[in-house]
Amino acid sequence: MKQKLIYYSIRSFLFLGKVLPKRSIYRFSHWVLVRYYRKRPKRVEILHQNIERAFPEKERKEVERFCEMVYTEVSKMLAETVLLYHRRIDLEHAVTNKEEAVGRLKHLQSNAPNGILLIAGHYGNWELLGLFLGTCGFPIVNVVKQSTNHQVDAEIITPFRERYGSRMVEHEGAMLALVKALKSGKIASLMIDQVVHPPNGVPVNFFGHPTAATKAVAVLKQKYDPLVVPIFIQRVDEEKFEVKIGDPIEPRPEIYTDKQQQLIDMTQQYYDIIEAQIRQAPEQWLWLYNRWKKIDFEK
């Protein structure tokens, strides 16, 4: 019953996104988000703890203001996604540096015999980034975590994400799908900024604190040598974004006798790049989940 209620609530929200003026959608989205989190004090506490951990120099009032900025950014992302669902945002003009980004991807693709593995995070409007790549002729094979509501996934989220030719694969069996994509010269994608427990996760430092991150990117780089390319999308104005594509990341030239240590060092390289991008506009990252869980790597 609860799953059905969630499904029809989302359907109702999507209907409003079709008929309401844009400004009303943004306001309603912000109201829903703030109301949702303020009724969940543990979630609010996690947000505050994350900000205080990442920016210990911020005073309490600064943390409060920053949290409000995070709510605003997430609500914008939510409203934009609803508008994208109904094609009410013009992808052709939403990315201000489209020609530069497309040219950069074409150049990378021409020098990637083993495929391209994009690494990204929950930053800016990551849903728009996936759609943008598809419309520009770069459909991706993207690893996603399925929600607990299978009807929402099957009827709303997955068709939306696969609208322009991209393919979503679940975590279970994802490595095989990624290998197949890379071997055929395609573009694969991983969001790597979430906590991943051992044995699939390795220890890294993130904003100066220990956490765990997926070792999948480093494993694929070791075995198949794709181009590992960081990509982000940053909001620069209302419904305007800049796509940022970094240089391919190669392992440091140190000689390793321990492959596991190399995996850890490579993963830290990737996380350093994610952190550096977040610091450019920290309010645009998704701070609402526990990113620094206690993890026992000895098990």
Side-chain angles (χ1 to χ4, degrees):
M1 183 66 183
K2 181 182 178 181
Q3 298 299 317
K4 284 288 184 184
L5 181 60
I6 292 172
Y7 172 78
Y8 286 112
S9 296
I10 293 173
R11 278 288 183 197
S12 299
F13 189 26
L14 289 173
F15 173 75
L16 292 175
K18 186 177 182 179
V19 299
L20 289 177
K22 279 188 176 184
R23 185 49 52 197
S24 297
I25 296 167
Y26 281 99
R27 288 173 180 168
F28 182 67
S29 176
H30 187 268
W31 180 83
V32 168
L33 187 88
V34 171
R35 186 178 178 85
Y36 175 84
Y37 278 100
R38 285 183 176 166
K39 284 191 172 183
R40 290 160 176 80
K42 287 186 178 180
R43 289 282 190 182
V44 175
E45 183 181 357
I46 287 172
L47 172 60
H48 281 75
Q49 287 175 348
N50 284 344
I51 303 303
E52 290 167 355
R53 184 178 281 116
F55 303 104
E57 72 280 3
K58 287 186 180 295
E59 296 181 357
R60 187 66 183 178
K61 287 185 178 180
E62 291 180 291
V63 171
E64 292 290 345
R65 285 196 296 269
F66 190 92
C67 289
E68 290 300 323
M69 291 170 67
V70 170
Y71 289 137
T72 298
E73 289 295 322
V74 176
S75 69
K76 284 181 183 178
M77 192 268 182
L78 178 60
E80 288 161 355
T81 303
V82 171
L83 293 169
L84 285 165
Y85 185 86
H86 294 293
R87 296 179 170 87
R88 294 183 65 186
I89 291 179
D90 183 5
L91 283 169
E92 182 75 19
H93 298 101
V95 174
T96 59
N97 65 330
K98 177 184 175 181
E99 290 186 8
E100 175 193 343
V102 169
R104 176 82 168 132
L105 285 168
K106 285 181 177 178
H107 173 74
L108 289 168
Q109 207 166 35
S110 68
N111 293 281
N114 300 320
I116 296 174
L117 181 55
L118 299 175
I119 59 170
H122 295 81
Y123 180 83
N125 191 323
W126 58 90
E127 297 289 355
L128 190 148
L129 177 59
L131 296 176
F132 169 75
L133 292 173
T135 60
C136 293
F138 303 101
I140 57 176
V141 176
N142 189 34
V143 179
V144 295
K145 183 178 180 180
Q146 296 293 310
S147 76
T148 55
N149 193 310
H150 300 300
Q151 189 175 12
V152 171
D153 275 335
E155 297 184 21
I156 300 174
I157 297 176
T158 300
F160 168 67
R161 288 173 170 170
E162 294 184 341
R163 180 180 289 172
Y164 299 110
S166 293
R167 184 164 71 91
M168 304 299 116
V169 295
E170 296 183 32
H171 277 267
E172 188 175 345
M175 285 297 280
L176 179 59
L178 291 173
V179 169
K180 286 182 177 179
L182 294 172
K183 281 189 171 183
S184 60
K186 294 180 179 178
I187 299 177
S189 173
L190 271 171
M191 306 283 277
I192 67 168
D193 59 340
Q194 294 177 310
V195 174
V196 176
H197 290 265
N200 297 318
V202 293
V204 294
N205 280 312
F206 190 45
F207 283 87
H209 298 276
T211 185
T214 178
K215 64 181 181 182
V217 179
V219 169
L220 289 166
K221 180 65 178 174
Q222 274 187 346
K223 289 186 176 182
Y224 304 103
D225 197 28
L227 288 185
V228 176
V229 179
I231 187 169
F232 306 97
I233 186 166
Q234 184 171 319
R235 184 180 290 102
V236 294
D237 204 347
E238 187 172 335
E239 296 180 8
K240 296 293 181 184
F241 301 85
E242 180 182 350
V243 172
K244 300 189 172 189
I245 304 170
D247 294 328
I249 308 166
E250 294 298 329
R252 296 186 179 102
E254 289 90 343
I255 297 174
Y256 291 89
T257 56
D258 182 351
K259 280 195 172 183
Q260 179 67 9
Q261 186 58 49
Q262 186 181 28
L263 288 175
I264 293 171
D265 287 356
M266 291 167 69
T267 305
Q268 185 65 60
Q269 275 186 274
Y270 307 144
Y271 252 62
D272 289 344
I273 290 170
I274 295 282
E275 180 181 330
Q277 179 59 49
I278 292 170
R279 287 185 180 276
Q280 290 189 26
E283 71 282 357
Q284 293 193 33
W285 190 55
L286 191 63
W287 293 90
L288 297 169
Y289 297 95
N290 188 355
R291 304 297 186 184
W292 290 278
K293 297 177 182 177
K294 290 182 180 179
I295 297 168
D296 185 359
F297 287 100
E298 299 301 322
K299 289 184 178 180

